[in-house]
Structures are given as structure tokens and as C-alpha cells.
Amino acid sequence: MVNKQNFTPTRTPMPEQPADVRNKNFSEVALGYSKEDAMAEAARCLQCKKPLCQKGCPVEIDIKGFIKHLADGDIPSAYRVIKETNALPAVCGRVCPQESQCEGACILGKKYEPVAIGRLERFVADTFDSDSACEMITGHTACSLPNDQFKVACIGSGPSSLTVAGYLAARGVPVTVYEALHEVGGVLVYGIPEFRLPKNIVAREVGALWSKGVTFQPNYVGGKTVTVEDLFEDGYNAVFIGVGAGLPWFLNIPGENLVGVYSANEYLTRINLGRAYDFPNHDTPAPKAKNVAVIGGGNVAMDAARTALRLGAENVYITYRRTQEEMPARLEELHHAIEEGVQLELLTSPIAINGDENSHVKSMTLQVMELGEPDDSGRRRPVAVEGKTRELEVDMVVLAVGTGANPILLEATPGLDLNKWGYIVTDGETGETSIPNVYAGGDIAGGSATVISAMGAGRRAAKTIAEKLGV
Amino acid sequence: MSNKILIKKALIPGQTSMLVIDCPQIAKKAKPGNFVILRIHEKGERIPLTIADTDKEAGTITIVYLVVGKSSALLETLNEGDTILDVCGPLGKPTHIEKSGTVICVGGGTGIAAMHHIAKGHHLAGNHVVAIVGARSENMLLFCTELGYFCPELLIATDDGSTGHKGFVTDLLRERLEQDKDVAEVVAIGPVPMMEAVAKVTEPFGVKTTVSLNSIMVDGVGMCGACRCSVGGETKFACVDGPEFDGHEVDFNELRMRLTQYKEQEDLSMQMFRSCNCHGE
């Protein structure tokens, strides 16, 4: 059990920009640990004989191992341990839902606050700056030589593909990553705002892959500019599909196509990829409004709501049909949003969006809900309170109610088996699809999930590919 | 893909130009009806433009644009030998083309360029293509020579009567439909009011009518839904379900109002561009 002698029950606090300052800028909210903070926090780790945290990590980082090095002040060694299994630690340290993974499994958390594993990972990734690209990726100072007899292609450049590329590049296999948009990183770039994940952090991790010989082809749409069949004709030995699940869902309620109604994807893509927060210095226009409603309770809803505040909205509401308890967003993100001034409209479900004479949004009609019996997910089901509605005056609505599989690549790939939701069927162990040597992972294979679970899938597929190629 | 501009031709000086761009991979895949998304500089926005022609052997695509806002004004500053930062495509569903008999292709303004590619596709499929083109005046007509190579009938309308029929393309279309009961399809590409008017004209004749929607887009690959439009009461994405739809089913009012969404910002961008003349740097 806990070594009571030197034991701190609470974790070392993370310095942050004050809420009333940060809600007006796009700089990162959490500022990161100092070395002293990090070493103090690392010292809280019990170095369990059977660490549960590692089992809670989808890419199985040797968490206890890296924390040990960090506690000793040896950052390069800590970095190497993390990089053994994780190609994107600076990203994961910021956006992983640690509370339900590594930190959720931490034994300290049973009685006290768990070790702040994510913050430590972030500290190590940000602090260790290696000139050697090989070292950045593999953690080994000596890399295997390029193995030009094989080549592998990834379609999509999000976290799953970047993981595949990192894993195989470290074994000398040339990898080409095809990306539909003009910037590499997938959801890390278009979806997650700068205040949560700065783009230069993504660029640094991607840059490390570049210098290891991974080739990136932006503006290549899988299924349009290049098909899976084309890739095999070009001599690729294996193809990994990591195109995400980017097709936005709408609610099919009246008024959804009014001016001022956006999918979270449009809103966030304009702001993040198009840097519309910097309009007119950047050319992509940003939708602006005084009173904004964001529909949904996940991380994407939090991101959209916090972005709207930063763009000068006076009132930003998150409407969610259950209560705060059931919200799928990370606790930390929800807290950040509330601190910054986002207002919660709980137990409400929009039934209509109403427009003015110019077909512009002027209000939203909300159905008042209450919680009924638990459903299949174990969460209490929201039930409409008969006849009880109210109006919310807003001039912009952002729908953050989820996304589905984008059919472009799937329709252009005959023989690819899909499940009833339109996602690619893969072998759970190997990641292989119904087409030999075609693998898939991330949201396109399992529906919307987290960055780290996509990376876990990428890692499994990459391992299988490497074994088959004998590298 | 080099994205290098090999040929630039001013079709209407200062207003409409044609670019032939080196994009072998896109040229290889592009079909009539497809479009590309361009980005001109590091801080630029993504702009969709229909492919007006392709040459698979030369590895080139042709685009035609009208200078309306900052991005097209910036594009106009590029010359032969310059490179376009990003060219992404081919996007959208290609035009459905089969051997069906007589097809009337109606084009208005810059839309004539996109119509040209589709008319060519119908011609190559063995259809009898009737081209009806319209513009404000003779010097604003595009692609008439090229259309003449493969359209046995080329009917022209101008607002000022400087050439062809004085009036609208819809006058010529109605006349043609009254004469010939065996028209298999009408394709219309151009300004929204023109496409709407064409759909109104063809409706009583019961002729299949295809229009190509120029919705606002961001990614162009079905990810953002900016381009959504109502077709037959259902929401569709112009970028992946279209851009071509049944003209009798499209809610043109909604399209019109959605096209004005960023008008204020677009005007501001253009104003700044014009006043500083700094190419957006």
C-alpha cells in the first residue's frame, strides 16, 4: 500500500491561463509542468509490482518505467521509454481521456488522487528535444537502415495512420501517407482547437516522421485522387485505411439549413484548419454571433462552445438532453468550459430552429426532458416532459451530435466489408479487413472514439504488417 | 503534381480567365462534372472550382473562374509558370452520362466553362448535343468555338442582343423543347436564377433536368456540411452527393440564402485586398 512517509494525497496542480484571460485568446489553456513540478508528481508514483496503469493504456506505454526515470530527473531515458510504444506523446499527454484509461486504473486513485500520468507524459514530450529524428521516433539512437524492398501506404493522416507510419518507419519501411486536406494530422489539425492542442505540437511530431523518411502527400483524396487498387498497382505491399469518421450528423429538425446553423465540423474546420480566428489576416471567414447554442455534450461540443466564446460571443449555451453527470466530455474539458463562462442548458433537446425574415437563425425551440429508466448503455434515458418546451434566443447554432463513416473511400473500394453502421469490419487482433493486405483502424473501423484508441488500432495493424513483411 | 500554370488566357479581361494546370493525377481521374478545391497562398481559403476540361495525355486540367472576391482576385494575380499552392481533386460525383439521344446543355456566364466539359462528355457518349449559351453581351460569351467543334447545334442568347437571340437562354430552350419532343435531358449550369428558370421551363415538358449547385464549401469531401442543400425535401451535401441534382427537386430559395452567409466577411476581405493591393500578404 501507500508509503505514508513521503506521501502527497493530491496531485501537483497544473499551471493554467486564468479563465477570464484565456477565454479571449487561442493560446494553450494548460501551461505545463516545470521540471520541479514534474519530478514532485513523479515521486508520487508507487512503482507498483503489477502496474494497472499500463493495462489501461491502449498503446501500453511502460508508464511505471518512464515515471521512474522522470523521478530521477533523467528526461531522455523517460522519453525513450514513452517513444517505444507511442509515436505522439505530446499529443496524447494533452488530449487522452486519462481519467478513464491510465489514471483511471492507477491504484492511488482508489483512495487519493491518481498520479497525473498525462501531465507527466506531456512534460517529457515537450521537454526532450532530440536532433536525431530516429531517436525521436524509436527512442533508439541506432535505427535500422531503410528497407527499400517494401513500401506501405496509409490513407488519412490522423493519429492511427501516424502511428502506423512511425512504427514502420522505425523498422526501415518507406511509408507514404495520403491526406485529403492541405495540412497533415487529420482530426488533430481540423478538429481540436489550438487552445487544447497547439498546431506546432502536431507539426513537431509530424516533422519527426518526415525526417525519418515518411512521405506525406496532402491534397490526395483516398477513393478520388488515389484508390486502394491504384496503390497495389503502384507496388505497395500493404495499405492502411485511417480515414476517420468525419461525416457530420444532423438532427433532421426543422430549420437545420437556416443561415447560422453549422455542423461542429464546419465550425471547427474553419477555425482550426482555416485559422479563421485570425480573419481577415487569414482568408477563411469565421461565423460570428452574439448568442450561440451548441448542441451535444461531448468534447467536440466543449471545443465548439469554448471557441465561440473566444470569437466574442456574449452568451454561449451547451444544450444537452441529459444532465451534467452523463455528459460524455472529459471532466477537465467540461470544467474548463464552465470556468470560461459557457452556460449549460441541461435536460433540453432541440426540436426546431427558427429563422427570421432573412432565413437567419433567431431562436431555438427546446423540448424539456427528464431522466427515465436506464437504457442499454446503463445511462438513464432522457424522456420528453409532455407539452413542456421553451425558446432560447440565439443567432447561431452549432450541432455537435456526432459523426459517421464518410463513404467516399468505402464506395471506391470494392470488396471491403462494412458493418451495419457503415464502418469497416476488421480482425480485432490484426486490424486486417476483408481485403488481404488492407488494414483499417481508428474511427473508420470502430466509430467515433479517442485519439489514443485510434493509435492503439494503428499499432496493432502496424505490428501485423511488420511481422508479415518480416521487418 | 506540380500544380504549375502552363497556360493562362484572359477570356474576359480583368473578369474571367482560363488556366491550364499541370495536375497529372487529377487529369487521369477527372470526369465531366467533377470539381477541384484550390488554395492559393499559405493564409488562403479553400475554393471550389469546376473542371472545365482535361487532357489526360498532357496531364492537365483546365479551370475557368470569375473574379468575384479576394481569393479569385488573388488567383488572377498568378501568371504562366506560377504554381498554385494546393489543388485537390477530382471531387464530387461525375455527371451521369449515357447514350440517350438528344441532350440540351444550357450554360450561363462562367458556367459555360463547366457546361463545356459535360457537353463534351455527352458528345463522346454518342449523344446529339444542343448547346444553349447565354451572357450579357457577345464579348462575355465563353467556349463558343470549342462547343462548335462537337455540338451540331449552338444557340446563343445575349441580354443586349449583340449576337444571337436578344433575351434569355430560357426563351431558346422553350422554343427548342416545343419543336422537339424527344429531348432526353436538359443540363443547366450557371447563376442560380438561371438554373431555377431553366428548371421552371422544363417542368411542364417533363424533361429530366440536371443542375450543378455552386454551394459554399470548405473541405469538399463530405466532412463539414457547409454545402448542404435540400433536394426533394432531403438534406444533401453538394460536394459528395452532387454537385449535380434534379433541378425540379432543388430548393433554390434555400441555396440562394445559404450562398450569402459570408457576404459581409467576403466584402471586407475584398475591400482590404483592393485598398492595400498587397496580395493578401
Side-chain angles (χ1 to χ4, degrees), chain A residues 230 256 263 265 283 286 406, chain B residues 29 70 221 223-224 228 265:
Chain A
D230 294 336
E256 225 163 15
S263 74
N265 266 8
D283 293 340
N406 184 321
Chain B
K29 297 278 179 180
K70 182 186 173 182
V221 291
M223 210 185 77
C224 80
R228 63 194 190 277
Q265 286 103 320

Side-chain angles (χ1 to χ4, degrees), chain B residues 228-241:
Chain B
R228 63 194 190 277
C229 47
S230 295
V231 182
E234 273 180 56
T235 293
K236 300 276 181 190
F237 289 3
C239 70
V240 286
D241 300 320

Side-chain angles (χ1 to χ4, degrees), chain A residues 9-338:
Chain A
T10 54
R11 39 184 174 178
T12 313
M14 179 74 128
E16 284 175 352
Q17 280 196 72
D20 59 338
V21 173
R22 68 179 193 242
N23 65 8
K24 294 172 195 68
N25 69 51
F26 277 84
S27 307
E28 197 168 10
V29 166
L31 301 171
Y33 276 164
S34 65
K35 191 172 180 188
E36 292 68 37
D37 289 341
M39 285 178 67
E41 183 61 24
R44 292 183 66 230
C45 175
L46 302 175
Q47 293 292 314
C48 306
K49 273 218 177 84
K50 286 181 186 162
L52 297 174
C53 51
Q54 188 172 356
K55 287 210 179 80
C57 172
V59 297
E60 298 167 71
I61 296 175
D62 173 9
I63 293 167
K64 164 185 168 180
F66 99 76
I67 292 182
K68 176 80 175 61
H69 289 303
L70 187 52
D72 294 341
D74 181 358
I75 296 165
S77 299
Y79 186 81
R80 275 186 204 104
V81 170
I82 298 174
K83 272 280 179 173
E84 285 283 347
T85 59
N86 186 348
L88 313 166
V91 172
C92 291
R94 287 169 165 83
V95 303
C96 270
Q98 288 101 3
E99 66 274 18
S100 58
Q101 295 176 338
C102 54
E103 293 176 16
C106 174
I107 199 81
L108 263 187
K110 299 259 182 267
K111 218 169 166 184
Y112 310 101
E113 286 186 358
V115 175
I117 300 167
R119 295 172 182 180
L120 294 179
E121 182 184 21
R122 170 187 161 149
F123 169 79
V124 172
D126 286 0
T127 309
F128 181 68
D129 199 4
S130 168
D131 291 336
S132 155
C134 172
E135 197 171 9
M136 283 289 285
I137 291 159
T138 62
H140 297 295
T141 38
C143 277
S144 44
L145 289 167
N147 191 336
D148 281 338
Q149 53 175 318
F150 302 121
K151 57 177 182 173
V152 172
C154 296
I155 303 177
S157 70
S160 64
S161 283
L162 294 180
T163 302
V164 172
Y167 191 96
L168 292 172
R171 283 151 189 81
V173 179
V175 180
T176 305
V177 180
Y178 294 95
E179 165 58 45
L181 297 174
H182 58 261
E183 214 167 302
V184 172
V187 72
L188 305 175
V189 168
Y190 76 76
I192 305 177
E194 297 255 13
F195 56 79
R196 208 149 69 79
L197 178 65
K199 298 296 158 269
N200 62 352
I201 297 287
V202 181
R204 188 171 159 233
E205 306 265 35
V206 168
L209 293 169
W210 264 113
S211 41
K212 182 63 185 79
V214 176
T215 307
F216 290 94
Q217 289 277 15
N219 302 311
Y220 265 70
V221 183
K224 291 279 185 189
T225 322
V226 68
T227 63
V228 171
E229 206 181 339
D230 294 336
L231 293 170
F232 284 116
E233 267 171 33
D234 284 353
Y236 284 95
N237 303 89
V239 175
F240 177 80
I241 301 173
V243 294
L247 187 80
W249 284 339
F250 290 86
L251 294 170
N252 295 317
I253 59 172
E256 225 163 15
N257 291 349
L258 286 166
V259 174
V261 183
Y262 303 91
S263 74
N265 266 8
E266 176 182 359
Y267 189 58
L268 292 172
T269 301
R270 282 181 176 277
I271 310 294
N272 299 333
L273 180 77
R275 316 287 199 270
Y277 57 82
D278 189 32
F279 178 88
N281 189 29
H282 278 76
D283 293 340
T284 305
K288 280 206 171 183
K290 257 191 191 157
N291 301 303
V292 178
V294 178
I295 302 167
N299 288 328
V300 176
M302 300 302 144
D303 286 345
R306 296 169 71 193
T307 297
L309 274 181
R310 284 161 171 78
L311 286 174
E314 285 166 20
N315 291 294
V316 178
Y317 310 97
I318 283 185
T319 74
Y320 181 60
R321 60 200 181 122
R322 294 180 157 103
T323 71
Q324 200 172 322
E325 298 262 295
E326 290 86 19
M327 276 197 175
R330 285 185 66 196
L331 213 54
E332 185 178 318
E333 304 310 330
L334 176 63
H335 285 164
H336 277 151
I338 294 169

